[in-house]
Amino acid sequence: LYTAPDSCEGRCEEPYSEEDECHCHRECERYHSCCQDYHRHCQPDGFSSSRDAISDEELLHVSEQLYRLDHNKARPADIVLNPQYQASPGETGDQEDHSPQPLYKYVNEELFSKPTYASFIKLLDNYQRVTGRQEEVTAEELREQDNFLKEVMKTELMRKLFAFLHKKNRYGSEQEFLADLKEMWFGLYSRGSGEQDSSGFEHVFSGEVKKGKVSGFHNWIRFYLLEKQGVVNYYSHNFNGPWDTYPDVLGLQFSWDGFYKEVGSAFIGCSPEFEFGLYTLCFIARPGRACHLSLGGYSLSIQTYTWTKSTYGHGKKYIATAYVISP
C-alpha cells in the first residue's frame, strides 16, 4: 500500500509540509487543505490510523538503522577516488571535461563476489538503454531478477526494512513484500510511444538515454564498470558529501558514449541492498516528495517520483526514478 502525494492513504496525522499537495492532519479541515479522501482513510478504525503513518522522526531513525546494517559496504581501503575538478553550479551544463583522469583510481573487485553484488551486476546488461525500444525479457533475465531479490532479502538490512514496513501495516508477509518489490522495480512501462521500454530498476541503476541525454544512471558500481571499459568519461563533480567513510555521496558530471549527464548524484561504496532499500523506503513513505533521512548523523534527502501513466495490481504505481538530492 503506497502513500500518494494527493491521498491520505498511509498519511493520517503526518506532519504538515509545504511540499505536500494536500494534508492529512487534524488541522487540515480548519485550513481547507485536506486531501479528498481524508475522511475515508483517517477514521480511527481505518488502515491509515495515526499509528500507520510514517513520521519524519521514524524516517530519520530507520534510515540510521539501515546505515548501520550495511555490512556489505566498501571499507575505506576498498575504493580510492580521484574527484579532481569541482564544478560550480553554473558550470555543470558546460559539457567540458575538466578531469583528465578517471574518477576511480582503485576498487577492490573482491566486493563484487559477494552474493548481492554478483546478482546485481548480472542485471545490468539486461536492458536497451535507448527509450522507445521494446524490452525483451528472457526467462534467464527473470531468474536473475528473482535471484537478486532473494539475495538482498537474506541481508539484515532488508529484513529490517521489511520489519519496519510490516509494523506500519504496509505488507502482511515477506512474500507480499517480495512480490511488490519485483513489480515496482522491474515491472515494465512505456517512456516512449507505447513500447514497454523502461522500468524503475533500469532507469535508476542501469541508466537510459532519452532525447540525446543520459537519464537516470545513479549507481556507483555501474559507473565504475563502464569507466573501466572506457565507455564512461568522468568530467567533474559539483558536490562531495561530508562522510569520511562509505557510503558517501557524490554529484558528478560525465558522458556515456558521448551522451551527457549534467548532474548524476550517487551513493559511493554502498552495497546494492542499501541503495535498493533506501530508495524503496522513500518511494513507499514519501512518493513524489523529498524524503528526509539521516546517515551517520548527517542529513540527506532522496527524491522519488511515481510513474503516473500506468499502474499494476489495484492501482499501485511503478517507480519512475529515485536519487539522492545533492545541495
Side-chain angles (χ1 to χ4, degrees):
L1 292 166
Y2 296 112
T3 58
D6 58 352
S7 169
C8 282
E9 189 170 15
R11 291 180 53 208
C12 294
E13 299 306 316
E14 187 178 272
Y16 173 81
S17 170
E18 286 185 1
E19 296 171 353
D20 295 341
E21 294 178 23
C22 55
H23 304 99
C24 305
H25 54 81
R26 273 171 243 183
E27 296 292 295
C28 71
E29 289 185 286
R30 190 165 59 148
Y31 294 106
H32 306 290
S33 63
C34 298
C35 299
Q36 285 188 340
D37 58 4
Y38 171 74
H39 292 286
R40 178 157 62 91
H41 287 299
C42 298
Q43 301 305 314
D45 56 349
F47 151 72
S48 294
S49 61
S50 59
R51 69 181 178 276
D52 293 330
I54 298 174
S55 70
D56 292 347
E57 290 74 23
E58 285 170 322
L59 281 174
L60 296 176
H61 181 66
V62 75
S63 56
E64 283 288 4
Q65 288 181 315
L66 299 181
Y67 179 77
R68 288 194 296 271
L69 290 175
D70 191 11
H71 303 312
N72 287 326
K73 68 182 177 183
R75 297 162 301 178
D78 286 333
I79 299 175
V80 180
L81 290 177
N82 184 16
Q84 300 164 82
Y85 187 78
Q86 181 159 2
S88 68
E91 292 177 300
T92 60
D94 290 351
Q95 302 192 34
E96 287 189 34
D97 185 358
H98 294 287
S99 303
Q101 302 300 316
L103 173 62
Y104 287 93
K105 268 189 178 179
Y106 168 76
V107 170
N108 177 8
E109 294 194 10
E110 287 182 16
L111 281 170
F112 301 159
S113 63
K114 294 184 176 187
T116 57
Y117 285 79
S119 58
F120 172 82
I121 289 168
K122 282 189 175 178
L123 294 167
L124 296 175
D125 63 357
N126 290 353
Y127 301 101
Q128 299 187 72
R129 68 180 180 183
V130 178
T131 58
R133 293 185 186 173
Q134 178 85 21
E135 293 289 349
E136 301 294 338
V137 184
T138 67
E140 182 183 359
E141 288 171 355
L142 288 172
R143 283 194 296 272
E144 288 173 353
Q145 293 172 10
D146 289 336
N147 189 51
F148 171 70
L149 291 171
K150 181 184 78 174
E151 291 299 341
V152 297
M153 285 307 299
K154 289 178 184 176
T155 65
E156 197 177 350
L157 186 155
M158 286 296 287
R159 290 199 299 272
K160 170 61 73 176
L161 175 61
F162 166 70
F164 174 75
L165 295 173
H166 177 65
K167 182 182 174 186
K168 286 294 175 182
N169 225 3
R170 297 306 197 274
Y171 297 99
S173 68
E174 193 172 308
Q175 291 74 18
E176 183 188 349
F177 181 47
L178 256 177
D180 204 35
L181 285 174
K182 186 166 183 178
E183 286 291 342
M184 77 166 84
W185 279 105
F186 295 103
L188 294 175
Y189 50 80
S190 174
R191 287 185 195 262
S193 53
E195 301 86 354
Q196 299 291 89
D197 63 347
S198 187
S199 68
F201 186 92
E202 177 186 5
H203 180 86
V204 173
F205 294 104
S206 186
E208 297 180 297
V209 171
K210 185 176 182 180
K211 296 180 180 177
K213 292 183 178 180
V214 177
S215 182
F217 198 141
H218 298 287
N219 179 254
W220 77 271
I221 301 167
R222 174 73 161 163
F223 189 101
Y224 165 73
L225 292 172
L226 291 182
E227 186 179 59
K228 184 182 173 185
Q229 293 173 24
V231 179
V232 158
N233 182 16
Y234 169 71
Y235 281 18
S236 56
H237 68 284
N238 63 296
F239 172 74
N240 194 343
W243 293 269
D244 54 8
T245 184
Y246 297 114
D248 199 351
V249 174
L250 204 63
L252 60 163
Q253 292 68 52
F254 62 93
S255 72
W256 179 18
D257 264 348
F259 300 104
Y260 188 62
K261 181 72 174 181
E262 186 170 337
V263 179
S265 60
F267 286 108
I268 308 293
C270 66
S271 68
E273 61 266 27
F274 176 82
E275 202 171 1
F276 190 72
L278 226 55
Y279 290 155
T280 299
L281 169 67
C282 285
F283 182 69
I284 291 171
R286 301 285 186 271
R289 291 173 287 160
C291 175
H292 304 301
L293 307 177
S294 179
L295 303 181
Y298 291 105
S299 297
L300 170 137
S301 298
I302 286 173
Q303 178 73 47
T304 66
Y305 287 102
T306 58
W307 185 253
T308 58
K309 296 178 183 176
S310 56
T311 61
Y312 67 92
H314 299 290
K316 289 186 175 184
K317 303 282 175 55
Y318 297 105
I319 291 175
T321 192
Y323 54 89
V324 182
I325 303 173
S326 55

